[in-house]
Amino acid sequence: MDREGAPRQAQGRVELLASTGDITADGNESTSPRPGEHAPATSRSERDDGLRDYFESAQWTADGTTLLTSSSSNVISGYIVPEDLLSPAVSRPLKLAAQATIQLPEPSNVLAGAPYFRLAEPWTQQLLVSARDHPIQLFYLDPSRQHQKPASCYPLTKARSETFLSATSLVWPDPGTHFVAGSRNLLAKFDVRRAGDEPLLRVKTIPSDRHLSKGGGVGMRGAVSALAAQPPDARHASLVAAATWTRWVGLYDFAQSSGACVATWSIARAGTDEARVGGDGVAQAAWSPCGRYLLLGERKSAGVLVYDVRVTGKLLGWLAGRDALGNQRIACDVFPGQGGGGAGGEDAGFEVWSGSTHGAVEVWEGVGTREGAHEPSWGWSAAQRSTVASTCMHQSGTVVATCSGSWEFPDELEGDGDDECGSQSESSSSEAPWMRRRNRESSLKIWSISNNSYEAASPGETGNGPE
């Protein structure tokens, strides 16, 4: 999308097409189902006094027809995009409502839709989650069932104690026959067709986690917090990038029978000393469309690190101005730039779209074409005082989805001279901070993108999106 010389703000380039509305608002209960609408009576929205569910993440399905979301009440929801989303005759914004929900027993660190998901074929509408003290579970997104049970399970257990390990990250790449899960000091490759079986392959990220030196400086130690599969090359070869909360990253080749480790390096110095954007553990890893560049976004950071994997461990640059100042995960998305064959080539680089802690969506263009700091090209406000946790670009390039939601703590907002706030603070001083939290605005929104070369091609014309 060529917007060279564009002003900092969107100025009419984005238009709100559809929204759930604020799902934490009192008046929105009857018109917009919350993610926990079909949840049992023990959902968080009913256990906590005055607190509501909020969206934690969102992602497009492989065919671009449905948005999968996860909420703070451990509910997975599916939102089918309206067929008249881009019709000029409808009144906007359209109302989004969940067509299917799945209540999980425990929080899940991962949510992955099947890479072969097709709305017209119910058997393909699968997703993977991993709740605590449970095996990795496969569900069908079935609108006819309110209380679903997993269709398949894939146990990931400790070798000696046989206790379940919770997957802290998961990637389910094309063609969808296998997926890779990450846990503490471990990567595991599963065959989707072998339900109930242990992993086909276990790859330890350090030689031994029982020795006092925890690997003796070899490999990377810690919970694997992010996984990303490299776009396959002409030989269908693809590396898997694994990153940890301890600020390490490794590249693994699961095409080989051993899942060989290609490289590992620490990003602590690059994030703290070179880019000076801070960071406290990798929350997301993402590949460029061309597969040459690796993006690493950390929690408590003010930027995204960009590495050229052809030079192991060397920082190419960083995306400045991406505020992810808390512990909440903020996921970005990538999209090919114009020129260079339209696949993120060297001439135009590629685009990165990301939300922020303060409710803004930022867009960086030409990523990969320069070194050092890379400022946002433009952006717009997608939420009011709430974290935009996910920004998902549709494969057609004409629409983008965002989801927002977070907690706020009154102690952080109270002024020293506010007597009323001061009295409330004294009366609640015996309460833990988390007990005084309250909701910020939370919504799922779909925006149109105009004034770009994709304007003439609607999602429906790609054969994989809303019509």
Side-chain angles (χ1 to χ4, degrees):
M1 301 177 191
D2 188 9
R3 303 183 188 91
E4 193 64 28
R8 176 67 181 79
Q9 297 297 322
Q11 295 187 354
R13 290 185 173 182
V14 294
E15 178 187 2
L16 182 60
L17 299 178
S19 173
T20 59
D22 185 359
I23 63 174
T24 67
D26 293 335
N28 201 33
E29 292 181 347
S30 60
T31 58
S32 177
R34 300 196 309 272
E37 183 184 40
H38 298 301
T42 56
S43 68
R44 180 179 296 182
S45 59
E46 298 180 1
R47 292 198 309 266
D48 293 343
D49 185 16
L51 293 177
R52 304 289 178 82
D53 307 336
Y54 68 87
F55 290 111
E56 291 185 327
S57 69
Q59 59 184 263
W60 288 104
T61 56
D63 64 346
T65 62
T66 307
L67 282 164
L68 300 178
T69 66
S70 62
S71 78
S72 60
S73 60
N74 311 329
V75 175
I76 307 299
S77 302
Y79 292 80
I80 299 176
V81 177
E83 294 183 356
D84 55 353
L85 181 69
L86 299 178
S87 173
V90 300
S91 177
R92 294 170 177 166
L94 300 173
K95 201 69 176 180
L96 290 176
Q99 280 72 36
T101 59
I102 301 170
Q103 175 69 57
L104 301 180
E106 296 284 346
S108 175
N109 293 314
V110 301
L111 170 61
Y116 44 77
F117 189 105
R118 295 292 180 272
L119 187 61
E121 301 178 42
W123 70 269
T124 66
Q125 299 169 18
Q126 302 170 348
L127 55 90
L128 289 170
V129 297
S130 177
R132 184 178 57 186
D133 297 327
H134 289 76
I136 299 171
Q137 298 173 327
L138 183 145
F139 286 89
Y140 282 92
L141 198 67
D142 189 350
S144 64
R145 301 179 184 177
Q146 293 187 5
H147 304 286
Q148 295 197 43
K149 295 182 179 180
S152 303
C153 294
Y154 305 90
L156 178 60
T157 59
K158 291 184 179 179
R160 292 177 176 83
S161 63
E162 296 187 356
T163 57
F164 286 117
L165 296 172
S166 178
T168 52
S169 55
L170 190 146
V171 62
W172 195 359
D174 280 326
T177 55
H178 300 82
F179 66 88
V180 177
S183 188
R184 183 172 182 80
N185 304 329
L186 179 68
L187 296 173
K189 181 180 180 180
F190 290 85
D191 188 333
V192 177
R193 299 160 294 187
R194 298 185 178 183
D197 287 359
E198 289 283 339
L200 296 176
L201 177 66
R202 292 174 180 257
V203 178
K204 293 183 178 180
T205 60
I206 57 175
S208 174
D209 56 4
R210 296 175 62 85
H211 192 272
L212 293 178
S213 61
K214 299 294 184 183
V218 179
M220 58 180 192
R221 178 176 59 88
V224 180
S225 55
L227 288 170
Q230 184 183 35
D233 58 19
R235 299 173 299 170
H236 302 286
S238 174
L239 297 176
V240 171
T244 69
W245 289 129
T246 55
R247 309 184 76 183
W248 278 78
V249 61
L251 302 179
Y252 294 83
D253 186 2
F254 280 93
Q256 300 184 29
S257 59
S258 61
C261 178
V262 177
T264 59
W265 68 91
S266 172
I267 65 170
R269 181 177 176 275
T272 304
D273 298 333
E274 294 185 50
R276 297 184 178 180
V277 296
D280 189 31
V282 181
Q284 184 195 14
W287 290 93
S288 65
C290 64
R292 296 174 183 169
Y293 306 102
L294 180 63
L295 281 67
L296 300 172
E298 295 190 82
R299 59 187 179 183
K300 296 183 179 179
S301 70
V304 177
L305 303 180
V306 182
Y307 283 88
D308 187 337
V309 296
R310 295 170 295 183
V311 184
T312 302
K314 179 175 174 57
L315 181 68
L316 176 69
W318 59 93
L319 307 183
R322 202 291 290 263
D323 292 336
L325 305 181
N327 285 319
Q328 187 173 355
R329 287 179 184 261
I330 296 181
C332 67
D333 201 2
V334 299
F335 198 78
Q338 288 298 284
E346 295 182 355
D347 294 341
F350 60 99
E351 300 175 2
V352 178
W353 298 62
S354 178
S356 65
T357 306
H358 304 297
V361 173
E362 308 288 355
V363 183
W364 292 262
E365 299 172 342
V367 180
T369 61
R370 68 185 74 170
E371 298 182 0
H374 193 147
E375 298 292 337
S377 302
W378 63 289
W380 77 95
S381 178
Q384 296 182 357
R385 298 191 309 106
S386 187
T387 299
V388 179
S390 296
T391 305
C392 319
M393 192 69 183
H394 192 271
Q395 56 199 20
S396 67
T398 58
V399 295
V400 61
T402 62
C403 83
S404 61
S406 58
W407 302 123
E408 69 180 5
F409 297 89
D411 292 349
E412 299 176 356
L413 306 176
E414 291 172 358
D416 294 336
D418 193 328
D419 295 337
E420 181 179 356
C421 291
S423 62
Q424 292 177 354
S425 177
E426 291 176 3
S427 63
S428 60
S429 59
S430 61
E431 298 178 345
W434 67 268
M435 296 179 65
R436 298 193 296 272
R437 70 193 189 279
R438 61 194 185 198
N439 288 107
R440 288 181 173 176
E441 180 265 347
S442 182
S443 61
L444 176 68
K445 299 176 181 178
I446 302 178
W447 310 78
S448 68
I449 306 167
S450 58
N451 297 334
N452 60 73
S453 57
Y454 298 100
E455 190 173 7
S458 68
E461 292 175 354
T462 65
N464 294 321
E467 298 179 359

